[in-house]
Amino acid sequence: MKQQDQEKFLQFFLERVQEGKVEEAKALLVQSFADQQTDNFTHADFEALQAKLLPLLKEDKVEEVKQAMDHFAQGLSK
């Protein structure tokens, strides 16, 4: 994911996070972006990240974010 796309996704995601969880979500995403730069970010890594991130979302935003994340995951190695 290009840096510009990462910034867009970060903003998209953080707008949908529960109050008080923004810094935790931001830290997880920034770390995942760094991991992706190594080209060793696998589908298993993505699933682990998703399991950490989804509980931080506002309840009514989970499906919307899952769809966006699933679209991204299609490009990952298994």
Side-chain angles (χ1 to χ4, degrees):
M1 186 183 288
K2 296 178 189 174
Q3 185 172 351
Q4 182 179 6
D5 294 335
Q6 290 175 347
E7 290 171 8
K8 284 182 184 178
F9 183 77
L10 181 64
Q11 186 65 35
F12 167 82
F13 192 90
L14 295 179
E15 288 172 356
R16 290 153 178 81
V17 171
Q18 297 172 35
E19 221 174 288
K21 302 287 185 178
V22 172
E23 288 306 314
E24 181 180 356
K26 185 175 183 178
L28 287 167
L29 283 169
V30 168
Q31 181 59 52
S32 79
F33 295 153
D35 293 344
Q36 290 170 42
Q37 298 305 315
T38 67
D39 291 328
N40 291 327
F41 193 77
T42 66
H43 200 274
D45 296 326
F46 171 79
E47 288 176 347
L49 175 65
Q50 193 174 39
K52 293 176 186 175
L53 288 175
L54 292 180
L56 304 178
L57 292 169
K58 297 173 185 170
E59 238 178 85
D60 63 332
K61 301 297 183 186
V62 172
E63 280 307 311
E64 177 185 18
V65 173
K66 275 178 77 171
Q67 288 178 4
M69 291 182 82
D70 288 344
H71 178 75
F72 165 75
Q74 292 173 3
L76 295 175
S77 59
K78 298 276 178 187

